Amino acid sequence: DIQMTQSPSSLSASVGDRVTITCRASQGISNYLAWYQQKPGKVPKLLIYAASTLQSGVPSRFSGSGSGTDFTLTISSLQPEDVATYYCQKYIGAPLTFGGGTKVEIK
Amino acid sequence: EVQLLESGGGLVQPGGSLRLSCAASGFTFSSYAMTWVRQAPGKGLEWVSLISGSGGSTYYADSVKGRFTTSRDNSKNTVYLQMNSLRAEDTAVYYCAKARVVGAVADHHDYWGQGSLVTVSS
């Protein structure tokens, strides 16, 4: 099975900073990669699919890139409401494995 | 408006069984694959199972294979997760989630239920 590895596992940044989260697949998955945001105590929310397509209603400060095995989620200007844990997920086929998550906090 | 409402969670002893239900509304249920995802307390998301729109194809994580069964009743717009031989490590909030793309089987999820807590403990 394909493994999904996220880094870092946590980060702390200032409001307005550019934040980058990495997700690496153990085998190529083309662009079958989604990103989710889970705020504390809340349900996961789809941010990006097909590696770089923004889900409707998601702020444009979020962006995704990558293909094959290496992917990134970027928040161009971190806002207080972006405090959350972010997960990548591959969906090229079952199992639909999630990465371990990256917890983003405000410094 | 798409809504997913899980029910059936609770406290169960190790070795016991429980059936979760997820009632869907606001979309053509039979056209979309459905997934179960769980989250143990303080831990990350773990994909559990997937069922195609017709119910003809199902897939499971190795951690639950042979113990959990997912099914659906498209006449009732409901997907189920039958959990047998439960273990302490199955303790988690269980979410049902809808595939975003009509007809896709393996897909990402655009709508999630609120979750149902399953606690396995003696």
Side-chain angles (χ1 to χ4, degrees), chain B residues 61-119:
Chain B
D62 286 345
S63 58
V64 306
K65 202 172 293 182
R67 300 187 298 122
F68 290 12
T69 302
T70 189
S71 61
R72 63 192 296 161
D73 185 338
N74 286 343
S75 69
K76 295 182 178 179
N77 286 359
T78 301
V79 61
Y80 305 97
L81 185 67
Q82 176 68 44
M83 304 182 291
N84 299 330
S85 303
L86 283 160
R87 308 166 179 166
E89 54 265 34
D90 296 318
T91 294
V93 173
Y94 286 73
Y95 298 100
C96 64
K98 167 191 167 290
R100 191 185 68 84
V101 178
V102 61
V105 179
D107 197 23
H108 49 286
H109 324 298
D110 57 351
Y111 288 93
W112 296 61
Q114 287 302 305
S116 184
L117 177 62
V118 172
T119 303

Side-chain angles (χ1 to χ4, degrees), chain A residues 74-96:
Chain A
T74 300
I75 308 173
S76 60
S77 177
L78 187 67
Q79 300 301 305
E81 59 265 33
D82 300 334
V83 168
T85 301
Y86 294 83
Y87 297 91
C88 62
Q89 182 195 31
K90 71 94 170 168
Y91 58 95
I92 195 169
L96 309 182

Side-chain angles (χ1 to χ4, degrees), chain B residues 5-43:
Chain B
L5 185 61
E6 299 99 338
S7 60
L11 175 64
V12 61
Q13 292 188 336
S17 297
L18 211 55
R19 188 178 83 157
L20 301 182
S21 300
C22 172
S25 62
F27 62 102
T28 305
F29 183 69
S30 61
S31 294
Y32 293 88
M34 296 294 293
T35 288
W36 289 95
V37 175
R38 70 184 180 183
Q39 187 168 36
K43 302 297 184 182

